[in-house]
């Protein structure tokens, strides 16, 4: 298998992603199209932990340290104390994106500017050649596949999936189970005051926006903000507030989920509880189905978190409880059938005395009678 310096690979990959053809690029690095495809599938994962088996296969079973010695040009020698693994090539990729005219490409006059990496799509970035903006090697297109006309020289990210040039604001949407990316003009957006809030929401002085090209008619755009989604990690014991990817937002009047108003939700106290449950202190929702959990006691509604015994939902999802009942998703369950599922949780939470479990567990113990 051919071996080339890693920085040369990154430069070649960047030029190919910005309108240059294989017939122009590959002869400069001495590879056939078939050799390039095999090499590309191996080299492009170097700064990441993915693709270890593929790397070892391509390089005849060598480990990362040995591969690094083969592909790292002398000018990229590791600094004292750096770990000799391929993740240390991250800075090489970033440097080549700033200046790809290195090695066999040093004399190329092909115009190229790396604008920014995509915030979610690993390995993909926006580039332009002075005329056309490219993403992952193709010009930006709208949902129907038509090339979108943008001003390449002024094109830049605003934040998240929101971008702009000197004239307009753009959003990046996607569709399909294997996402197909597209771009659209955010109609009516105020260029001077437009602000990205996260990957999915933005606002300006007049209105708010959701990434599906939906304008949100808010009465208080200046107060529009993200409500973090909560990720409960039982393995490492963390409770993460996910701001950048949250689908929940609010203004002074309403709460929004996937850009749609959540009917009846009070914004001032609304918070996510994890595993799809949320509350405003009065009502509880199972957001995945946009359903109110009828009869749930918001004051005591509890989703077991890190450091507490997790209660899976048996067939699907995660179970939750309040002082009186058991729930899986938006459905009320028969507490009698869940006594043993919840035993570890309530035994670990002696502060919750007098809840449904204590009554039913006590009754069950009494029905068994004294031991013989």
């Amino acid at each position: 298998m051919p071996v080339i310096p890693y920085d040369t690979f990154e430069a070649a990959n960047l030029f190919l992603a910005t309108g240059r053809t294989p017939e122009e690029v590959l002869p400069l690095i001495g590879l056939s199209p078939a050799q390039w495809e095999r090499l590309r599938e191996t080299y492009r994962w170097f700064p990441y932990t993915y693709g270890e088996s593929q790397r070892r296969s391509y390089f005849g079973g060598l480990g990362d340290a040995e591969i690094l010695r083969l592909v790292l040009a002398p000018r990229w020698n590791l600094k004292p104390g750096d770990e000799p693994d391929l993740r240390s090539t991250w800075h090489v990729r970033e440097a080549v994106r700033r200046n790809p005219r290195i090695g066999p490409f040093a004399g190329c006059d092909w115009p190229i500017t790396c604008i920014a990496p995509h915030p979610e799509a690993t390995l993909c970035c926006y580039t332009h050649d002075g005329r056309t903006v490219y993403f992952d090697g193709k010009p930006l297109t709208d949902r129907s596949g038509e090339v979108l006309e943008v001003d390449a020289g002024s094109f830049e990210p605003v934040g998240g999936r929101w971008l702009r040039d000197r004239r307009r604001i753009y959003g990046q949407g996607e569709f399909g189970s294997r996402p197909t990316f597209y771009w659209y003009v955010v109609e009516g957006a105020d260029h001077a005051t437009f602000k990205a809030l996260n990957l999915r929401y933005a606002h300006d002085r007049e209105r708010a926006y959701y990434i599906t090209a939906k304008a949100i008619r808010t009465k208080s755009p200046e107060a529009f903000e993200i409500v973090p989604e909560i990720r409960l990690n039982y393995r490492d014991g963390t409770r993460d507030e996910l701001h950048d990817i949250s689908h929940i937002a609010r203004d002074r009047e309403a709460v929004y989920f996937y850009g749609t108003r959540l009917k009846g939700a009070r914004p001032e106290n609304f918070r996510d509880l994890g595993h799809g449950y949320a509350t405003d202190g009065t009502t509880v929702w199972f957001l995945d189905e946009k359903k109110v959990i009828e009869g749930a006691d918001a004051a005591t509604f509890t989703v077991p978190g890190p450091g507490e015994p997790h209660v899976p939902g048996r067939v699907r999802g995660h179970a939750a409880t309040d002082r009186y009942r058991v729930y899986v998703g938006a459905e009320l369950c028969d507490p009698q059938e869940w006594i043993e599922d919840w035993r570890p949780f309530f035994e670990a939470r002696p502060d919750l005395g007098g809840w449904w479990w204590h009554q039913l567990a006590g009754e069950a113990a009494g029905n068994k009678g004294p031991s013989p």
Side-chain angles (χ1 to χ4, degrees):
M1 291 293 106
V3 175
I4 67 173
Y6 174 62
D7 57 359
T8 299
F9 160 76
E10 285 291 350
N13 200 44
L14 201 61
F15 281 116
L16 287 168
T18 315
R20 311 322 302 189
T21 67
E23 290 76 18
E24 293 174 298
V25 174
L26 297 187
L28 295 179
I29 56 176
L31 297 182
S32 69
Q35 288 174 321
W36 168 256
E37 286 305 316
R38 178 79 187 277
L39 181 141
R40 180 176 181 271
E41 285 306 305
T42 301
Y43 274 54
R44 68 184 185 142
W45 294 110
F46 276 2
Y48 302 91
T49 56
Y50 311 120
E52 180 180 356
S53 61
Q54 191 168 356
R55 288 197 299 273
R56 292 184 181 275
S57 173
Y58 189 89
F59 286 94
L62 296 180
D64 281 6
E66 290 82 6
I67 296 171
L68 199 63
R69 282 192 284 270
L70 283 176
V71 303
L72 205 62
R75 59 183 172 275
W76 299 113
N77 281 338
L78 294 178
K79 299 176 183 178
D82 283 352
E83 290 293 328
D85 65 46
L86 288 171
R87 285 172 295 182
S88 64
T89 60
W90 180 266
H91 71 288
V92 177
R93 169 173 288 173
E94 296 306 304
V96 173
R97 285 179 173 178
R98 291 191 295 270
N99 177 23
R101 292 180 178 83
I102 57 173
F105 303 102
C108 289
D109 59 358
W110 299 330
I112 185 171
T113 298
C114 184
I115 301 169
H118 189 277
E120 292 178 296
T122 304
L123 305 176
C124 299
C125 63
Y126 293 97
T127 61
H128 76 77
D129 59 7
R131 301 186 307 273
T132 304
V133 175
Y134 297 88
F135 178 76
D136 197 24
K138 299 177 182 178
L140 306 190
T141 56
D142 62 20
R143 192 178 177 105
S144 64
E146 295 295 320
V147 174
L148 198 66
E149 183 181 345
V150 301
D151 181 70
S154 62
F155 192 81
E156 63 180 359
V158 178
R161 295 188 196 167
W162 309 96
L163 309 113
R164 68 183 171 197
D165 61 18
R166 61 185 177 84
R167 299 173 296 177
R168 299 182 293 191
I169 302 292
Y170 305 90
Q172 177 260 300
E174 57 187 63
F175 62 89
S177 55
R178 299 182 64 180
T180 297
F181 288 178
Y182 67 93
W183 291 261
Y184 61 91
V185 175
V186 182
E187 299 292 349
D190 181 66
H191 200 283
T193 61
F194 189 90
K195 179 181 179 181
L197 298 178
N198 71 355
L199 289 165
R200 298 181 169 91
Y201 288 98
H203 75 108
D204 59 23
R205 64 183 179 186
E206 297 292 338
R207 58 185 66 83
Y209 306 90
Y210 188 65
I211 199 61
T212 55
K214 180 176 184 177
I216 299 172
R217 295 182 178 178
T218 170
K219 295 180 181 178
S220 51
E222 74 286 352
F224 201 91
E225 64 179 6
I226 303 301
V227 177
E229 293 185 21
I230 301 300
R231 179 170 59 195
L232 304 175
N233 296 314
Y234 298 97
R235 289 185 179 179
D236 58 15
T238 60
R239 182 180 181 274
D240 302 329
E241 292 191 354
L242 306 179
H243 181 279
D244 286 348
I245 64 172
S246 179
H247 295 87
I248 313 170
R250 65 183 167 203
D251 55 20
R252 292 197 186 99
E253 294 77 39
V255 174
Y256 305 87
F257 185 58
Y258 282 86
T260 300
R261 184 172 293 208
L262 193 63
K263 187 177 180 180
R266 300 179 180 182
E268 60 273 12
N269 296 317
F270 194 89
R271 61 191 178 97
D272 188 45
L273 300 173
H275 296 325
Y277 300 99
T279 183
D280 62 1
T282 301
T283 304
V284 181
W285 282 264
F286 185 59
L287 291 177
D288 290 356
E289 298 175 9
K290 295 184 180 180
K291 285 186 177 180
V292 170
I293 303 179
E294 299 294 343
D297 180 52
T300 60
F301 194 90
T302 302
V303 181
E308 299 173 331
H310 175 222
V311 185
R314 295 184 182 176
V315 176
R316 61 181 177 82
H318 306 268
T321 186
D322 61 19
R323 186 179 184 88
Y324 308 103
R325 303 171 184 85
V326 178
Y327 310 88
V328 174
E331 297 180 8
L332 174 64
C333 303
D334 182 355
Q336 192 75 49
E337 298 177 0
W338 286 79
I339 295 174
E340 293 308 313
D341 298 74
W342 282 93
R343 182 179 295 279
F345 173 81
F346 281 102
E347 288 182 347
R349 291 290 305 273
D351 56 308
L352 300 180
W355 285 38
W356 65 269
W357 183 84
H358 301 90
Q359 179 182 349
L360 294 180
E363 291 175 358
N367 290 338
K368 291 180 181 178
S371 300

